[in-house]
Amino acid sequence: MAQQQERAAVLVAFVAAGLMVCCTGCSGSGAAAEAVGKGPGTVETLRRAVSELERAGSAKASTSMEMATGGTRVTIRGQGVYDFRKQTGRLKVVLPQDPAGAAEHRPITELLAPGALFMKNRGAGVPADKWVRVATAGLTDGNLVTGGATDPYAAAELLRGTRSVTYVGRTEVAGIPVRHYRGTADLGAAARGASAGQRPALAAAAKGFATAEVPFDAYLDDQGRLRKVRHRFSFVNGQRKGTVDVASTLLLYDFGSPAVVRLPKSSDIYAGKIAE
């Protein structure tokens, strides 16, 4: 159990410290062949997914981030809402439990905005009524992993960098008929095609990971809206000298749900030293 707690702490540290452990020497799965034209839609179908989300306006979101290392798997889960037009969202992120089953950490409230991640209940050293602000462009992963949940808009914008894709077939997500696509996105291409609000963070991720290739599984409904996407990241953990695999999954539902997000005032942001 102690070993499991130690490995869980690695991923929890992404949230607690607001910084990745290490993102140098990353490695990822290889891409499939060039995009194929079989099935309903190809590369352009995936690249248009962001526009369809903007047209939908907002949605509820569920996230999960799984880390597997040394045969142990730990998961961070999130739940909240997102406004795709304003690119703002609110998530409650639940960190892994301890072996006894009790909550190891209080849930962390995260506010997502273009260029910034705000965290409350961040932990030791931060007053309970204060927020911690992290500039996403300054993170080596562009906050694709750091917050324990990939920003829903950033997750969709990654599909703008789709290089290869295969249409898998029809299936269902939460009872909704969807089309399943499997492919590989390029971080550099996604950054170049991204909106102004997400471009700096994705550009940082493109430089921070040793490989720009990100394998994914995406599920689009009949309106072309992204219902589910799973990205797979792999990087070398310099502190423990091993490869860490991270899978980030986003589930979107109840489109049009109210997504009011009030960002903290400067007086509510903690400016002191953050404990390790």
Side-chain angles (χ1 to χ4, degrees):
M1 289 298 183
Q3 186 181 37
Q4 182 176 0
Q5 284 183 296
E6 179 183 1
R7 290 188 175 117
V10 178
L11 187 54
V12 170
F14 296 157
V15 180
L19 295 170
M20 282 196 70
V21 176
C22 177
C23 207
T24 57
C26 308
S27 62
S29 302
E34 277 301 308
V36 296
K38 299 178 181 179
T42 53
V43 168
E44 290 305 318
T45 302
L46 277 300
R47 292 177 179 173
R48 288 196 300 268
V50 175
S51 299
E52 297 302 329
L53 291 178
E54 291 173 346
R55 188 171 290 109
S58 61
K60 292 182 180 179
S62 293
T63 68
S64 70
M65 189 163 285
E66 303 168 74
M67 181 186 72
T69 179
T72 301
R73 183 175 296 275
V74 294
T75 304
I76 292 176
R77 301 189 184 280
Q79 194 85 25
V81 294
Y82 200 89
D83 186 318
F84 293 98
R85 292 170 182 164
K86 296 180 180 178
Q87 297 182 29
T88 57
R90 182 180 66 254
L91 294 174
K92 179 177 285 187
V93 175
V94 180
L95 304 180
Q97 295 181 327
D98 64 19
E104 187 174 342
H105 301 271
R106 290 183 300 168
I108 295 176
T109 300
E110 295 188 359
L111 300 181
L112 308 167
L117 166 66
F118 300 87
M119 296 181 288
K120 198 171 189 179
N121 293 341
R122 177 252 170 253
V126 180
D129 62 339
K130 295 293 184 180
W131 295 84
V132 173
R133 182 186 186 278
V134 178
T136 54
L139 300 172
T140 54
D141 72 313
N143 194 35
L144 295 177
V145 174
T146 291
T150 303
D151 183 307
Y153 199 92
E157 290 242 271
L158 271 176
L159 298 179
R160 293 190 190 273
T162 298
R163 290 299 199 192
S164 65
V165 62
T166 300
Y167 175 62
V168 179
R170 299 281 296 187
T171 185
E172 290 187 354
V173 169
I176 303 297
V178 294
R179 289 167 287 158
H180 178 191
Y181 298 90
R182 179 170 295 141
T184 303
D186 180 88
L187 279 166
R192 290 190 293 273
S195 62
Q198 297 290 338
R199 190 176 302 127
L202 289 178
K207 295 177 181 178
F209 287 92
T211 175
E213 294 181 350
V214 180
F216 67 83
D217 280 86
Y219 302 80
L220 276 60
D221 63 20
D222 291 336
Q223 287 74 48
R225 298 174 301 192
L226 186 65
R227 288 283 180 165
K228 179 181 177 180
V229 63
R230 180 178 177 88
H231 294 106
R232 293 175 294 282
F233 306 97
S234 183
F235 61 92
V236 174
N237 181 354
Q239 291 188 359
R240 286 172 172 76
K241 298 181 180 180
T243 299
V244 179
D245 296 317
V246 178
S248 177
T249 303
L250 167 68
L251 180 68
L252 297 172
Y253 56 100
D254 288 355
F255 286 99
S257 296
V260 179
V261 179
R262 295 184 177 87
L263 299 181
K265 296 182 291 186
S266 57
S267 58
D268 294 328
I269 298 175
Y270 181 65
K273 183 178 180 180
I274 299 175
E276 295 296 332

